[in-house]
Coordinates of all heavy atoms in Angstrom, one line a residue:
M1 N 22.4 71.2 14.3 CA 22.2 72.5 14.9 C 22.2 73.6 13.9 O 23.0 73.7 13.0 CB 23.3 72.8 15.9 CG 23.4 74.2 16.4 SD 23.6 74.2 18.2 CE 23.8 76.0 18.4
K2 N 21.2 74.5 14.0 CA 21.1 75.6 13.1 C 22.0 76.7 13.4 O 22.3 77.1 14.5 CB 19.6 76.2 13.1 CG 18.6 75.2 12.6 CD 17.2 75.9 12.7 CE 16.1 74.9 12.4 NZ 14.8 75.5 12.6
K3 N 22.6 77.2 12.3 CA 23.4 78.4 12.4 C 22.7 79.6 11.7 O 22.0 79.4 10.7 CB 24.8 78.2 11.7 CG 25.7 77.2 12.4 CD 27.0 77.1 11.6 CE 27.9 76.2 12.3 NZ 29.2 76.0 11.5
F4 N 22.9 80.8 12.2 CA 22.2 81.9 11.6 C 23.3 83.0 11.3 O 24.3 83.1 11.9 CB 21.2 82.5 12.6 CG 20.1 81.6 12.9 CD1 20.1 80.6 13.9 CD2 19.0 81.6 12.0 CE1 19.1 79.7 14.1 CE2 17.9 80.7 12.2 CZ 18.0 79.8 13.2
C5 N 22.9 83.8 10.2 CA 23.8 84.8 9.8 C 23.9 85.9 10.8 O 25.0 86.5 11.0 CB 23.3 85.4 8.4 SG 21.7 86.0 8.4
C6 N 22.8 86.2 11.6 CA 22.9 87.2 12.6 C 21.7 87.0 13.5 O 20.7 86.4 13.2 CB 22.9 88.6 12.0 SG 21.5 89.1 11.0
D7 N 21.7 87.7 14.7 CA 20.6 87.5 15.6 C 19.3 88.1 15.2 O 18.2 87.6 15.5 CB 21.0 88.1 17.0 CG 22.1 87.3 17.7 OD1 22.2 86.1 17.4 OD2 22.7 87.9 18.6
T8 N 19.4 89.2 14.4 CA 18.2 89.8 13.9 C 17.4 88.9 13.0 O 16.2 88.7 13.0 CB 18.5 91.2 13.2 OG1 19.3 91.9 14.1 CG2 17.2 91.9 12.9
F9 N 18.2 88.3 12.1 CA 17.5 87.3 11.2 C 16.9 86.2 12.0 O 15.7 85.8 11.8 CB 18.5 86.7 10.2 CG 17.9 85.9 9.1 CD1 17.5 86.4 7.9 CD2 17.6 84.5 9.4 CE1 16.9 85.6 6.9 CE2 17.0 83.7 8.4 CZ 16.6 84.3 7.2
R10 N 17.6 85.7 12.9 CA 17.1 84.6 13.7 C 15.8 84.9 14.5 O 14.9 84.2 14.5 CB 18.2 84.2 14.8 CG 17.7 83.0 15.6 CD 18.8 82.6 16.6 NE 18.4 81.3 17.2 CZ 19.2 80.5 17.8 NH1 20.5 80.7 17.9 NH2 18.7 79.4 18.4
F11 N 15.8 86.1 15.0 CA 14.6 86.6 15.8 C 13.4 86.6 14.8 O 12.3 86.1 15.2 CB 14.9 88.0 16.3 CG 13.7 88.6 17.0 CD1 13.3 88.1 18.3 CD2 13.0 89.6 16.4 CE1 12.2 88.7 18.9 CE2 11.9 90.1 17.0 CZ 11.5 89.7 18.3
R12 N 13.6 87.1 13.6 CA 12.4 87.2 12.7 C 12.1 85.8 12.1 O 10.9 85.6 11.7 CB 12.8 88.2 11.6 CG 12.9 89.6 12.0 CD 11.5 90.2 12.3 NE 11.6 91.5 12.9 CZ 10.6 92.2 13.3 NH1 9.4 91.7 13.4 NH2 10.8 93.4 13.8
Y13 N 13.0 85.0 12.0 CA 12.8 83.6 11.5 C 12.1 82.7 12.4 O 11.3 81.9 12.1 CB 14.2 83.0 11.1 CG 14.3 81.6 10.9 CD1 14.0 81.0 9.6 CD2 14.6 80.7 11.9 CE1 14.0 79.6 9.4 CE2 14.7 79.3 11.7 CZ 14.4 78.8 10.5 OH 14.4 77.5 10.3
E14 N 12.5 82.9 13.7 CA 11.9 82.0 14.7 C 10.6 82.5 15.3 O 9.9 81.7 15.9 CB 12.9 81.8 15.9 CG 14.1 81.0 15.5 CD 15.1 80.8 16.6 OE1 15.1 81.6 17.6 OE2 15.8 79.8 16.5
G15 N 10.2 83.7 15.0 CA 8.9 84.2 15.4 C 7.8 83.5 14.8 O 7.9 82.9 13.7
A16 N 6.6 83.5 15.5 CA 5.4 82.9 14.9 C 5.0 83.6 13.6 O 5.1 84.8 13.5 CB 4.3 83.0 15.9
K17 N 4.6 82.8 12.6 CA 4.3 83.3 11.3 C 3.1 84.2 11.3 O 2.9 85.0 10.4 CB 4.1 82.1 10.3 CG 2.9 81.3 10.6 CD 2.8 80.2 9.5 CE 1.6 79.3 9.8 NZ 1.8 78.4 11.0
E18 N 2.3 84.1 12.3 CA 1.1 84.9 12.4 C 1.3 86.3 12.8 O 0.5 87.2 12.8 CB 0.0 84.3 13.3 CG -0.5 83.0 12.8 CD 0.3 81.8 13.2 OE1 1.4 82.0 13.9 OE2 -0.1 80.6 12.9
M19 N 2.6 86.6 13.3 CA 2.9 87.9 14.0 C 3.8 88.7 13.1 O 4.7 88.3 12.6 CB 3.6 87.6 15.3 CG 2.9 86.6 16.2 SD 1.8 87.5 17.3 CE 3.0 88.4 18.3
G20 N 3.4 90.0 13.1 CA 4.3 91.0 12.5 C 4.9 90.7 11.2 O 4.3 90.1 10.3
L21 N 6.1 91.2 10.9 CA 6.9 90.8 9.7 C 7.8 89.7 10.1 O 8.5 89.7 11.1 CB 7.6 92.0 9.2 CG 6.8 93.1 8.6 CD1 7.7 94.3 8.2 CD2 6.1 92.6 7.3
N22 N 7.8 88.7 9.2 CA 8.8 87.6 9.5 C 9.6 87.2 8.2 O 9.2 87.5 7.1 CB 8.2 86.3 10.0 CG 6.8 86.1 9.9 OD1 6.5 85.1 10.2 ND2 5.8 86.8 9.7
F23 N 10.7 86.6 8.5 CA 11.5 86.0 7.5 C 11.1 84.5 7.5 O 11.1 83.8 8.5 CB 13.0 86.0 7.8 CG 13.6 87.4 7.9 CD1 14.6 87.7 8.8 CD2 13.1 88.4 7.1 CE1 15.2 89.0 8.9 CE2 13.6 89.7 7.2 CZ 14.7 90.0 8.1
R24 N 10.8 84.0 6.3 CA 10.5 82.6 6.1 C 11.4 81.9 5.1 O 11.8 82.6 4.1 CB 9.0 82.4 5.7 CG 8.0 83.2 6.3 CD 8.0 83.1 7.8 NE 7.6 81.8 8.4 CZ 7.7 81.6 9.8 NH1 8.3 82.5 10.5 NH2 7.3 80.5 10.2
I25 N 11.7 80.7 5.3 CA 12.5 79.9 4.4 C 11.6 78.8 3.9 O 11.0 78.0 4.7 CB 13.8 79.3 5.0 CG1 14.6 80.5 5.5 CG2 14.5 78.5 4.0 CD1 15.9 80.1 6.3
I26 N 11.4 78.8 2.6 CA 10.4 77.9 1.9 C 11.2 77.0 1.0 O 12.1 77.4 0.3 CB 9.4 78.7 1.1 CG1 8.8 79.8 2.0 CG2 8.4 77.9 0.4 CD1 7.9 79.3 3.0
K27 N 10.8 75.7 0.9 CA 11.3 74.8 -0.1 C 10.3 74.7 -1.2 O 9.1 74.5 -1.0 CB 11.6 73.4 0.6 CG 12.3 72.5 -0.4 CD 12.4 71.1 0.3 CE 13.3 70.2 -0.5 NZ 13.4 68.9 0.2
L28 N 10.8 74.9 -2.4 CA 9.9 74.7 -3.6 C 9.4 73.3 -3.6 O 10.1 72.3 -3.3 CB 10.7 75.0 -4.9 CG 11.2 76.4 -5.1 CD1 12.1 76.5 -6.4 CD2 10.1 77.4 -5.1
S29 N 8.1 73.2 -4.0 CA 7.5 71.9 -4.0 C 8.0 71.1 -5.2 O 8.4 71.6 -6.2 CB 5.9 72.0 -4.1 OG 5.6 72.5 -5.4
Q30 N 8.0 69.8 -5.1 CA 8.5 68.9 -6.2 C 7.7 69.1 -7.5 O 8.3 69.2 -8.5 CB 8.4 67.4 -5.7 CG 9.2 66.5 -6.6 CD 10.7 66.9 -6.6 OE1 11.2 67.3 -5.5 NE2 11.4 66.7 -7.7
P31 N 6.4 69.2 -7.5 CA 5.7 69.5 -8.7 C 6.1 70.8 -9.4 O 6.2 70.9 -10.6 CB 4.2 69.6 -8.3 CG 4.1 68.8 -7.0 CD 5.5 69.0 -6.4
F32 N 6.4 71.8 -8.5 CA 6.8 73.1 -9.1 C 8.2 73.0 -9.7 O 8.4 73.5 -10.8 CB 6.9 74.2 -7.9 CG 7.3 75.5 -8.4 CD1 6.4 76.5 -8.8 CD2 8.7 75.9 -8.5 CE1 6.7 77.7 -9.2 CE2 9.0 77.1 -8.9 CZ 8.1 78.0 -9.3
I33 N 9.1 72.3 -9.1 CA 10.4 72.0 -9.6 C 10.3 71.3 -11.0 O 11.0 71.6 -11.9 CB 11.3 71.3 -8.6 CG1 11.6 72.1 -7.4 CG2 12.6 70.9 -9.3 CD1 12.2 71.4 -6.2
E34 N 9.5 70.3 -11.0 CA 9.4 69.5 -12.2 C 8.7 70.3 -13.4 O 9.1 70.2 -14.5 CB 8.5 68.2 -11.9 CG 9.4 67.2 -11.1 CD 8.5 66.1 -10.5 OE1 7.3 65.9 -10.9 OE2 9.1 65.3 -9.7
R35 N 7.7 71.1 -13.0 CA 7.1 71.9 -14.1 C 8.0 72.9 -14.7 O 8.0 73.1 -15.8 CB 5.9 72.7 -13.4 CG 4.6 72.0 -13.5 CD 3.4 73.0 -13.4 NE 3.6 74.0 -12.3 CZ 3.3 73.8 -11.0 NH1 2.8 72.7 -10.6 NH2 3.5 74.8 -10.2
S36 N 8.9 73.5 -13.8 CA 9.7 74.6 -14.3 C 11.1 74.1 -14.8 O 11.8 74.9 -15.3 CB 9.9 75.6 -13.1 OG 10.6 75.0 -12.1
K37 N 11.4 72.8 -14.6 CA 12.7 72.3 -15.0 C 13.8 73.1 -14.3 O 14.9 73.3 -14.9 CB 12.9 72.3 -16.5 CG 11.8 71.7 -17.3 CD 11.8 70.2 -17.3 CE 10.8 69.6 -18.2 NZ 10.2 68.4 -17.7
Y38 N 13.5 73.6 -13.1 CA 14.4 74.4 -12.4 C 15.5 73.6 -11.8 O 15.2 72.6 -11.1 CB 13.7 75.2 -11.4 CG 14.5 76.2 -10.6 CD1 14.9 77.4 -11.3 CD2 15.0 75.9 -9.4 CE1 15.7 78.3 -10.6 CE2 15.8 76.8 -8.7 CZ 16.2 78.0 -9.3 OH 17.0 78.9 -8.7
K39 N 16.8 74.0 -12.0 CA 17.9 73.2 -11.6 C 18.7 73.9 -10.5 O 19.7 73.3 -10.1 CB 18.8 72.8 -12.7 CG 18.1 71.9 -13.8 CD 17.9 70.5 -13.2 CE 17.3 69.6 -14.2 NZ 15.9 69.7 -14.5
G40 N 18.3 75.1 -10.1 CA 19.2 75.8 -9.1 C 18.8 75.6 -7.7 O 18.3 74.5 -7.3
N41 N 19.0 76.6 -6.9 CA 18.6 76.5 -5.5 C 17.1 76.3 -5.3 O 16.3 77.0 -5.9 CB 19.0 77.8 -4.8 CG 18.8 77.8 -3.3 OD1 18.7 76.8 -2.7 ND2 18.7 79.0 -2.7
I42 N 16.8 75.3 -4.5 CA 15.3 74.9 -4.3 C 14.7 75.6 -3.1 O 13.6 75.3 -2.7 CB 15.1 73.4 -4.3 CG1 15.9 72.8 -3.1 CG2 15.5 72.8 -5.6 CD1 15.6 71.3 -2.8
Y43 N 15.5 76.5 -2.5 CA 14.9 77.2 -1.3 C 14.7 78.7 -1.7 O 15.3 79.2 -2.5 CB 15.9 77.1 -0.1 CG 16.2 75.7 0.3 CD1 17.3 75.0 -0.2 CD2 15.2 75.0 1.0 CE1 17.5 73.7 0.1 CE2 15.5 73.6 1.3 CZ 16.6 73.0 0.9 OH 16.8 71.7 1.2
R44 N 13.7 79.2 -1.0 CA 13.4 80.6 -1.3 C 13.3 81.4 0.1 O 12.9 80.8 1.1 CB 12.0 80.8 -2.0 CG 12.0 80.3 -3.5 CD 12.9 81.2 -4.3 NE 13.0 80.8 -5.7 CZ 13.8 79.9 -6.2 NH1 14.7 79.4 -5.3 NH2 13.8 79.5 -7.4
Y45 N 13.6 82.6 0.0 CA 13.7 83.4 1.3 C 12.7 84.6 1.1 O 12.7 85.3 0.2 CB 15.1 83.9 1.5 CG 16.1 82.8 1.3 CD1 16.8 82.6 0.1 CD2 16.2 81.8 2.2 CE1 17.6 81.5 -0.2 CE2 17.0 80.7 2.0 CZ 17.7 80.5 0.8 OH 18.5 79.4 0.6
L46 N 11.8 84.7 2.1 CA 10.7 85.6 2.0 C 10.7 86.5 3.2 O 11.0 86.1 4.3 CB 9.4 84.9 1.9 CG 9.2 83.7 1.1 CD1 7.8 83.1 1.3 CD2 9.4 84.0 -0.4
I47 N 10.2 87.7 3.0 CA 9.7 88.5 4.1 C 8.2 88.6 3.9 O 7.7 88.9 2.8 CB 10.3 89.9 4.1 CG1 11.8 89.9 4.3 CG2 9.7 90.8 5.3 CD1 12.5 91.3 4.2
T48 N 7.4 88.2 4.9 CA 6.0 88.3 4.8 C 5.4 89.0 6.0 O 6.1 89.1 7.1 CB 5.3 86.9 4.8 OG1 5.3 86.4 6.1 CG2 6.0 86.0 3.9
E49 N 4.2 89.5 5.8 CA 3.5 90.0 7.0 C 2.9 88.7 7.7 O 3.0 87.6 7.1 CB 2.3 90.9 6.6 CG 1.3 90.3 5.6 CD 0.2 91.2 5.2 OE1 0.0 92.2 6.0 OE2 -0.4 90.9 4.2
G50 N 2.4 88.8 8.9 CA 1.8 87.7 9.6 C 0.7 87.0 8.7 O 0.0 87.7 8.0
Y51 N 0.7 85.7 8.7 CA -0.3 85.0 7.9 C -0.7 83.7 8.4 O 0.0 83.1 9.3 CB 0.3 84.8 6.5 CG 1.4 83.8 6.4 CD1 1.2 82.5 5.9 CD2 2.7 84.2 6.7 CE1 2.2 81.6 5.9 CE2 3.7 83.3 6.6 CZ 3.5 82.0 6.2 OH 4.5 81.2 6.2
Q52 N -1.8 83.1 7.9 CA -2.2 81.7 8.2 C -1.8 80.9 7.0 O -1.8 81.4 5.9 CB -3.7 81.7 8.4 CG -4.3 82.6 9.4 CD -4.0 82.2 10.8 OE1 -3.8 81.1 11.1 NE2 -3.9 83.2 11.7
V53 N -1.5 79.6 7.3 CA -1.1 78.7 6.2 C -2.3 78.7 5.2 O -3.4 78.7 5.6 CB -0.8 77.3 6.7 CG1 -0.7 76.3 5.6 CG2 0.5 77.4 7.5
L54 N -1.9 78.7 3.9 CA -2.9 78.6 2.8 C -3.6 80.0 2.6 O -4.5 80.0 1.7 CB -3.9 77.5 2.9 CG -3.2 76.1 2.9 CD1 -4.3 75.0 3.0 CD2 -2.3 75.8 1.7
D55 N -3.2 81.0 3.3 CA -3.8 82.3 3.0 C -3.1 82.9 1.8 O -1.9 83.2 1.9 CB -3.6 83.2 4.3 CG -4.1 84.6 4.1 OD1 -4.6 84.9 3.0 OD2 -4.1 85.3 5.1
S56 N -3.7 83.1 0.7 CA -3.1 83.5 -0.5 C -3.1 85.0 -0.6 O -2.5 85.6 -1.5 CB -3.7 82.9 -1.7 OG -5.1 83.2 -1.8
N57 N -3.8 85.7 0.3 CA -3.9 87.1 0.2 C -3.0 87.8 1.1 O -3.4 88.6 2.0 CB -5.4 87.5 0.4 CG -5.6 89.0 0.1 OD1 -4.9 89.6 -0.7 ND2 -6.6 89.6 0.9
I58 N -1.6 87.5 1.0 CA -0.7 88.2 1.9 C 0.4 88.8 1.1 O 0.6 88.5 -0.1 CB 0.0 87.1 2.8 CG1 0.7 86.0 2.0 CG2 -1.0 86.6 3.8 CD1 1.6 85.1 2.9
K59 N 1.0 89.8 1.7 CA 2.1 90.5 1.0 C 3.4 89.8 1.3 O 3.7 89.4 2.4 CB 2.2 91.9 1.6 CG 1.0 92.7 1.3 CD 1.0 94.1 2.0 CE -0.3 94.8 1.7 NZ -1.4 94.3 2.5
I60 N 4.2 89.5 0.2 CA 5.4 88.8 0.3 C 6.5 89.5 -0.5 O 6.2 90.1 -1.6 CB 5.3 87.4 -0.4 CG1 4.3 86.5 0.5 CG2 6.6 86.7 -0.6 CD1 4.1 85.1 -0.1
I61 N 7.7 89.6 -0.1 CA 8.8 90.0 -0.9 C 9.9 88.9 -0.8 O 10.2 88.4 0.3 CB 9.3 91.4 -0.5 CG1 10.3 91.9 -1.5 CG2 9.9 91.4 0.9 CD1 10.7 93.3 -1.4
F62 N 10.4 88.5 -1.9 CA 11.5 87.6 -2.0 C 12.8 88.3 -1.8 O 13.0 89.4 -2.4 CB 11.5 86.8 -3.3 CG 10.4 85.9 -3.5 CD1 9.2 86.3 -4.0 CD2 10.5 84.5 -3.2 CE1 8.1 85.4 -4.1 CE2 9.5 83.6 -3.3 CZ 8.3 84.1 -3.8
I63 N 13.7 87.7 -1.0 CA 15.0 88.4 -0.7 C 16.1 87.3 -1.0 O 15.9 86.1 -0.9 CB 15.1 88.9 0.7 CG1 14.9 87.8 1.8 CG2 14.1 90.1 0.9 CD1 15.2 88.2 3.2
E64 N 17.3 87.9 -1.3 CA 18.4 87.0 -1.6 C 19.5 87.2 -0.6 O 20.3 86.3 -0.3 CB 19.1 87.4 -3.0 CG 18.1 87.3 -4.1 CD 18.1 85.9 -4.8 OE1 19.1 85.2 -4.6 OE2 17.1 85.6 -5.4
Y65 N 19.5 88.4 0.1 CA 20.5 88.7 1.0 C 19.9 89.1 2.3 O 18.8 89.7 2.3 CB 21.4 89.9 0.5 CG 22.2 89.5 -0.7 CD1 21.6 89.8 -2.0 CD2 23.4 89.0 -0.7 CE1 22.2 89.4 -3.1 CE2 24.1 88.7 -1.8 CZ 23.5 88.9 -3.1 OH 24.2 88.5 -4.2
C66 N 20.5 88.9 3.5 CA 20.0 89.3 4.7 C 20.0 90.8 4.8 O 21.0 91.5 4.5 CB 20.8 88.8 5.9 SG 20.2 89.4 7.5
P67 N 18.8 91.4 5.1 CA 18.7 92.9 5.1 C 19.5 93.5 6.3 O 19.7 94.7 6.3 CB 17.2 93.2 5.3 CG 16.5 91.9 5.2 CD 17.5 90.8 5.3
H68 N 19.9 92.7 7.2 CA 20.6 93.2 8.4 C 22.1 93.1 8.3 O 22.9 94.0 8.7 CB 20.1 92.5 9.7 CG 18.6 92.8 9.8 ND1 18.1 94.0 10.3 CD2 17.5 92.0 9.5 CE1 16.8 93.9 10.3 NE2 16.4 92.8 9.9
C69 N 22.6 91.9 7.9 CA 24.1 91.7 7.9 C 24.6 91.6 6.4 O 25.8 91.6 6.3 CB 24.5 90.5 8.7 SG 24.0 88.9 8.0
G70 N 23.8 91.4 5.5 CA 24.2 91.4 4.1 C 24.7 90.0 3.6 O 25.1 89.9 2.4
R71 N 24.6 89.0 4.4 CA 25.1 87.7 3.9 C 24.1 87.1 2.8 O 22.9 87.4 2.9 CB 25.1 86.6 5.1 CG 26.1 86.9 6.1 CD 27.5 86.3 5.8 NE 27.4 84.8 5.6 CZ 27.6 83.9 6.6 NH1 27.7 84.3 7.8 NH2 27.6 82.6 6.3
E72 N 24.7 86.4 1.9 CA 23.9 85.8 0.8 C 23.2 84.6 1.5 O 23.8 83.6 2.0 CB 24.8 85.3 -0.3 CG 24.0 84.9 -1.5 CD 24.8 84.7 -2.7 OE1 26.0 84.7 -2.6 OE2 24.2 84.5 -3.8
L73 N 21.9 84.6 1.5 CA 21.1 83.6 2.3 C 21.3 82.2 1.8 O 21.4 81.3 2.6 CB 19.6 84.0 2.2 CG 19.3 85.4 2.9 CD1 17.9 85.8 2.6 CD2 19.6 85.4 4.4
R74 N 21.4 82.0 0.5 CA 21.5 80.6 0.0 C 22.8 79.9 0.4 O 22.9 78.7 0.3 CB 21.2 80.5 -1.5 CG 22.3 81.2 -2.3 CD 21.8 81.2 -3.8 NE 22.8 81.9 -4.6 CZ 23.4 81.4 -5.7 NH1 23.0 80.3 -6.1 NH2 24.2 82.1 -6.3
K75 N 23.8 80.7 0.7 CA 25.0 80.1 1.1 C 24.9 79.5 2.5 O 25.7 78.6 2.9 CB 26.2 81.1 1.1 CG 26.5 81.4 -0.3 CD 27.8 82.3 -0.4 CE 28.2 82.4 -1.8 NZ 29.2 83.5 -2.0
L76 N 24.0 80.0 3.3 CA 23.9 79.5 4.7 C 22.6 78.6 4.9 O 22.7 77.6 5.5 CB 23.8 80.7 5.6 CG 23.9 80.4 7.1 CD1 25.1 79.7 7.5 CD2 23.9 81.8 7.9
Y77 N 21.5 79.0 4.3 CA 20.2 78.4 4.5 C 19.9 77.5 3.3 O 19.1 77.9 2.5 CB 19.1 79.4 4.8 CG 19.5 80.4 5.9 CD1 19.7 81.7 5.6 CD2 19.7 79.9 7.2 CE1 20.1 82.6 6.6 CE2 20.0 80.8 8.2 CZ 20.2 82.2 7.9 OH 20.6 83.0 8.9
N78 N 20.6 76.3 3.2 CA 20.4 75.5 2.0 C 20.2 74.1 2.4 O 20.6 73.2 1.7 CB 21.7 75.7 1.1 CG 22.9 75.4 1.9 OD1 22.9 74.8 3.0 ND2 24.1 75.8 1.4
S79 N 19.4 73.8 3.5 CA 19.0 72.4 3.8 C 17.6 72.4 4.3 O 17.1 73.5 4.8 CB 20.0 71.8 4.7 OG 19.7 72.1 6.1
D80 N 17.0 71.3 4.3 CA 15.7 71.1 4.9 C 15.6 71.5 6.3 O 14.5 71.8 6.8 CB 15.2 69.7 4.7 CG 14.8 69.4 3.2 OD1 15.0 70.3 2.4 OD2 14.4 68.3 3.0
L81 N 16.7 71.5 7.0 CA 16.7 71.9 8.4 C 16.1 73.2 8.7 O 15.5 73.5 9.7 CB 18.2 71.9 8.9 CG 18.5 72.0 10.3 CD1 18.0 70.8 11.1 CD2 20.0 72.2 10.5
Y82 N 16.2 74.1 7.7 CA 15.8 75.5 7.9 C 14.4 75.8 7.4 O 13.9 76.9 7.5 CB 16.7 76.5 7.2 CG 18.1 76.5 7.8 CD1 19.2 75.8 7.2 CD2 18.4 77.2 9.0 CE1 20.4 75.8 7.8 CE2 19.6 77.2 9.5 CZ 20.7 76.5 8.9 OH 21.9 76.5 9.5
V83 N 13.7 74.8 6.7 CA 12.5 75.1 6.1 C 11.4 75.4 7.1 O 11.1 74.6 8.0 CB 12.1 74.0 5.1 CG1 10.7 74.2 4.6 CG2 13.1 73.8 4.0
N84 N 10.7 76.5 6.9 CA 9.6 76.9 7.8 C 8.3 76.2 7.4 O 7.6 75.7 8.2 CB 9.3 78.4 7.8 CG 10.4 79.2 8.5 OD1 11.1 79.9 7.8 ND2 10.5 79.0 9.8
E85 N 8.0 76.2 6.1 CA 6.8 75.7 5.6 C 7.0 74.9 4.3 O 7.8 75.4 3.5 CB 5.7 76.7 5.4 CG 5.0 77.2 6.7 CD 5.6 78.5 7.2 OE1 6.1 79.3 6.4 OE2 5.7 78.7 8.4
L86 N 6.2 73.9 4.1 CA 6.3 73.1 2.9 C 5.0 73.1 2.1 O 4.9 72.5 1.0 CB 6.6 71.6 3.2 CG 7.9 71.3 3.8 CD1 7.9 69.9 4.5 CD2 9.0 71.4 2.8
D87 N 4.0 73.9 2.6 CA 2.7 73.7 2.0 C 2.3 74.9 1.2 O 1.2 75.3 1.1 CB 1.7 73.6 3.2 CG 1.9 74.4 4.3 OD1 2.8 75.4 4.2 OD2 1.3 74.2 5.4
H88 N 3.3 75.5 0.5 CA 3.0 76.6 -0.4 C 2.7 76.1 -1.8 O 3.1 74.9 -2.1 CB 4.1 77.6 -0.4 CG 4.2 78.5 0.8 ND1 3.9 79.8 0.8 CD2 4.6 78.1 2.1 CE1 4.0 80.2 2.1 NE2 4.5 79.3 2.8
E89 N 2.1 76.9 -2.6 CA 1.8 76.4 -4.0 C 3.0 76.5 -4.9 O 2.9 76.0 -6.0 CB 0.6 77.2 -4.5 CG 0.9 78.6 -5.0 CD 0.8 79.6 -3.8 OE1 0.9 79.3 -2.6 OE2 0.7 80.8 -4.1
F90 N 4.1 77.0 -4.5 CA 5.3 77.1 -5.3 C 6.4 76.3 -4.7 O 6.3 75.9 -3.5 CB 5.7 78.5 -5.6 CG 5.7 79.4 -4.4 CD1 6.8 79.4 -3.5 CD2 4.7 80.3 -4.1 CE1 6.8 80.2 -2.4 CE2 4.7 81.1 -3.0 CZ 5.8 81.0 -2.1
Ligands
ZN101 ZN1 21.9 88.3 8.8

């Protein structure tokens, strides 16, 4: 069962990716991790405008903390259970 830091985050996370502004949780791809020798958190937290998968012309901002309640996102959203999409280039 998924737990959320707050209802506002949940609402934006569960909304369709094509709509409005959303919070997305992305897992870094294995090739990206291997290329970068990255050893830390393999999840990333984004605010995006609505988009289609593989649309590279979208506005994205990476976030570390929930803009609504202030919780550190990686402390809560750190399993595959929360991943929205796996098909990004990073
Ligand atoms: Zn929150």
